[in-house]
């Protein structure tokens, strides 16, 4: 996740400044930690350390700035702490453990605070408001509840990553962005938020990922999000959003938008093909090598240069199944408008089902409720005996880790039944391979 380069100081066995013992199959905290009074950097990630974090570990050094205990089997702390043990801490990573109680909020010096994928219960402490320099905040996939503190809007000048997915938060979503916001990722999906979408999101000019899916939001389509220049992923599925989607000249205007999921809402009206023709990503994609969507930053705790990389992730419905993407390939493209109340005629040039590549992997059930469709794999033949080709100018997929994809236009398969279904997934095979 990060790259370390030492810029000053010498380390000895009895006076260690940097100790990296990740992926060493440790079952206990190592004895070498005793009497380390100048330890700045401690990495014990990806081991089998289990049980509680002992008191003596918490008191090893007041100069510690980076602590990484992620991907272990830790259950908590063996003492009740009043003050946080590392007053100069800048990075705390406790992801993927078995913590049940929320750790003490780090000191105001904290830049990175990651406690995702635990079993933490309770509410977020109001002391979180002291972290005015926080860059990355991830508490996703826990059992947290309550209302989000409104002070989160004060972080937008520094906070880049906000991931609270998969908890039990309720109430309204606070106004998260002010002018000059540095937010790149906001994921509040799979909670119980209600009310309207905060209009302050239009201030997130650097926003790349916005995921508010699987909540109880009740609002019209956010036309005011269209002009965001860097938006790549917009997921609003499974809410109570309603009304017409709007004009294609103002909606989906973001030049980098590649993933759109507004399924399982109550949107109505017609959906003309001008929407898809306006999207930049359907014109041409030229990728050299396999890259993932991520946010990166650099900071220098105690004279050490750190490049921190946070890969974007999401959950979408792919071929009828909920699929988790812990990383998103740059060339991945997906559109899902299913389970809404769109109406109107389907253009004749897409009645026939396209052939080739990903389309040939779908079975009959993928087209249920769409009586106007014809061609393979359906038994209904099209009037034109010629199969409808997949309108992609060229696709080249190499068998190693490098690939190149180029396409001039994608015609998106549209279904018409109880709801309009549009789904095209490009790059799924490559993602699974990686």
């Amino acid at each position: 996740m990060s790259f370390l380069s030492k810029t000053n100081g010498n380390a000895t066995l009895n006076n260690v400044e940097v100790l990296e013992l990740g992926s060493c199959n440790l079952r206990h905290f190592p004895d070498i930690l005793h009497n380390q009074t100048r330890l700045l950097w401690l990495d014990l990630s990806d081991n089998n350390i289990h049980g509680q974090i002992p008191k003596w570990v918490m008191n090893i050094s007041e100069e510690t700035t980076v602590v990484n205990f992620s991907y272990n089997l830790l259950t908590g702390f063996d003492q009740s702490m009043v003050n946080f043990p590392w007053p100069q801490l800048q990075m705390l990573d406790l992801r993927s453990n078995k913590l049940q109680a929320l750790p003490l909020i780090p000191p105001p010096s904290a830049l990175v605070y990651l406690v995702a994928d635990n079993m933490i219960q309770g509410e977020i402490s109001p002391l979180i408001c002291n972290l005015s320099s926080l860059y990355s905040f991830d508490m996703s996939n826990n059992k947290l509840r309550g209302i989000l503190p409104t002070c989160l809007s004060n972080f937008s000048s520094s906070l880049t990553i906000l991931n609270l997915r998969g908890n039990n938060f309720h109430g309204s979503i606070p106004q998260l962005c002010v002018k000059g916001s540095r937010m790149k990722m906001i994921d509040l999906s799979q909670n119980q938020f209600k009310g309207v979408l905060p209009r302050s999101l239009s201030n997130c000019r650097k926003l790349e990922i916005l995921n508010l899916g699987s909540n109880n939001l009740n609002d019209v389509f956010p036309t005011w999000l269209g002009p965001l220049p860097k938006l790549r992923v917009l997921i609003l599925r499974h809410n109570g959003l309603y009304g017409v989607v709007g004009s294609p000249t103002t909606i989906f205007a973001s030049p980098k938008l590649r993933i759109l999921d507004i399924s399982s809402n109550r949107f109505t009206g017609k959906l003309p093909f001008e929407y898809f023709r306006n999207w930049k990503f359907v014109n041409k994609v030229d990728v050299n090598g396999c890259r993932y969507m991520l946010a990166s930053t650099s900071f220098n705790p105690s004279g050490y240069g750190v490049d921190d990389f946070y890969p974007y992730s999401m959950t979408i419905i792919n071929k009828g199944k909920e699929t988790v993407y812990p990383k998103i390939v740059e060339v991945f493209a997906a559109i899902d408008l299913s389970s809404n109340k769109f109406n109107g005629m389907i253009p004749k040039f897409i009645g026939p089902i396209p052939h080739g590549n990903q389309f040939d992997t779908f079975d009959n059930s993928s087209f249920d409720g769409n009586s106007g469709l014809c061609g393979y794999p359906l038994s209904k033949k099209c009037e034109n005996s010629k199969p409808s080709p997949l309108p992609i100018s060229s696709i080249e997929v190499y068998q190693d880790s490098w690939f190149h994809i180029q396409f001039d236009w994608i015609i998106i398969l549209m279904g018409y039944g109880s709801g309009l279904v549009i789904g095209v997934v490009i790059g799924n095979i490559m993602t699974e391979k990686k």
Side-chain angles (χ1 to χ4, degrees):
M1 179 177 178
S2 58
F3 172 77
L4 171 66
S5 59
K6 187 173 181 182
T7 58
N8 58 24
N10 295 316
T12 62
L13 185 61
N14 295 324
N15 197 19
V16 176
E17 292 186 357
V18 176
L19 182 61
E20 294 194 0
L21 295 175
S23 304
C24 289
N25 200 29
L26 298 175
R27 295 183 57 83
H28 306 283
F29 286 95
D31 291 337
I32 193 176
L33 293 178
H34 286 285
N35 303 319
Q36 299 294 341
T37 59
R38 294 188 58 190
L39 190 61
L40 305 177
W41 182 296
L42 177 58
D43 184 353
L44 300 178
S45 62
D46 197 17
N47 282 290
N48 293 310
I49 303 175
H50 59 279
Q52 295 182 324
I53 302 174
K55 179 179 180 180
W56 64 269
V57 171
M58 308 299 292
N59 296 325
I60 52 178
S61 174
E62 292 188 353
E63 299 180 19
T64 304
T65 56
V66 174
V67 172
N68 188 350
F69 292 162
S70 63
Y71 297 94
N72 279 286
L73 301 171
L74 300 172
T75 58
F77 304 86
D78 70 352
Q79 64 169 350
S80 298
M81 295 180 294
V82 178
N83 297 315
F84 198 82
W86 298 298
Q88 301 182 45
L89 193 71
Q90 294 188 19
M91 179 176 178
L92 177 62
D93 191 346
L94 297 172
R95 290 174 298 168
S96 297
N97 278 283
K98 295 186 176 182
L99 302 177
Q100 297 184 13
L102 186 65
L104 283 181
I105 300 298
S109 58
L111 302 176
V112 177
Y113 183 32
L114 311 174
V115 291
D117 300 303
N118 280 282
M119 298 180 289
I120 300 173
Q121 304 182 43
E123 300 184 7
I124 296 180
S125 168
L127 293 177
I128 196 71
C129 296
N130 295 331
L131 306 184
S132 58
S133 300
L134 199 61
Y135 164 81
S136 181
F137 184 33
D138 188 347
M139 305 184 77
S140 60
N141 300 321
N142 280 286
K143 298 180 180 180
L144 294 164
R145 64 181 186 274
I147 299 175
L148 293 187
T150 57
C151 67
L152 287 177
S153 61
N154 300 333
F155 296 173
S156 63
S157 59
S158 62
L159 191 62
T160 302
I161 303 296
L162 176 62
N163 191 348
L164 302 177
R165 176 181 62 223
N167 283 286
N168 295 308
F169 293 114
H170 64 271
S172 300
I173 298 176
Q175 302 294 330
L176 295 174
C177 297
V178 297
K179 289 185 178 180
S181 171
R182 296 180 58 186
M183 288 280 199
K184 291 185 177 180
M185 174 183 178
I186 298 177
D187 191 340
L188 304 180
S189 62
Q190 301 176 37
N191 279 282
Q192 300 176 31
F193 292 112
K194 62 181 181 179
V196 300
L197 301 171
R199 297 312 191 251
S200 66
L201 291 174
S202 61
N203 294 321
C204 298
R205 303 293 294 177
K206 296 184 178 181
L207 193 63
E208 297 180 338
I209 307 288
L210 177 59
N211 189 347
L212 303 178
S214 299
N215 279 287
N216 299 314
L217 300 173
N218 187 21
D219 201 352
V220 296
F221 188 88
T223 58
W224 35 271
L225 287 178
L228 293 183
K230 297 188 177 181
L231 189 63
R232 297 184 180 190
V233 178
L234 176 60
I235 300 177
L236 301 174
R237 70 181 176 94
H238 209 279
N239 277 287
L241 305 179
Y242 59 90
V244 298
V245 173
S247 168
T249 59
T250 57
I251 311 304
F252 314 137
S254 177
K256 296 186 177 181
L257 185 64
R258 299 193 58 79
I259 297 170
L260 173 70
D261 187 350
I262 59 172
S263 62
S264 300
N265 281 286
R266 292 181 285 138
F267 292 121
T268 58
K270 297 180 180 179
L271 193 66
F273 261 70
E274 283 77 8
Y275 282 93
F276 313 118
R277 294 191 178 101
N278 283 346
W279 278 343
K280 303 295 183 181
F281 79 79
V282 300
N283 293 327
K284 185 176 181 180
V285 172
D286 191 357
V287 177
N288 294 316
C290 179
R291 295 194 298 265
Y292 293 100
M293 298 184 189
L294 53 83
S296 62
T297 190
S298 299
F299 56 99
N300 297 285
S302 304
Y304 293 86
V306 179
D307 292 329
D308 185 70
F309 300 99
Y310 187 97
Y312 296 145
S313 60
M314 67 176 181
T315 300
I316 64 173
I317 303 297
N318 187 0
K319 297 183 181 178
K321 295 181 179 179
E322 189 172 85
T323 305
V324 178
Y325 290 84
K327 294 182 180 181
I328 309 174
V329 181
E330 289 272 3
V331 296
F332 188 94
I335 306 167
D336 191 349
L337 309 185
S338 61
S339 299
N340 279 288
K341 297 182 179 181
F342 294 115
N343 56 55
M345 298 296 294
I346 299 177
K348 292 183 178 180
F349 68 91
I350 63 158
I353 298 174
H355 286 184
N357 299 301
Q358 196 84 348
F359 283 97
D360 287 345
T361 66
F362 298 140
D363 56 25
N364 288 356
S365 62
S366 299
F367 308 99
D368 285 348
N370 299 283
S371 57
L373 294 178
C374 61
Y376 179 84
L378 302 178
S379 57
K380 180 181 178 181
K381 305 300 180 183
C382 298
E383 293 180 5
N384 183 1
S385 58
K386 264 188 160 183
S388 176
L390 183 66
I392 297 179
S393 61
S394 65
I395 295 184
E396 300 175 24
V397 180
Y398 300 105
Q399 296 304 312
D400 57 13
S401 61
W402 301 94
F403 57 87
H404 171 79
I405 297 181
Q406 179 179 351
F407 52 93
D408 293 330
W409 178 239
I410 302 172
I411 293 182
I412 300 168
L413 184 66
M414 300 181 66
Y416 179 61
S418 58
L420 179 66
V421 180
I422 299 179
V424 172
V425 177
I426 303 225
N428 183 54
I429 296 176
M430 288 79 77
T431 300
E432 292 179 353
K433 182 178 178 182
K434 289 299 293 181

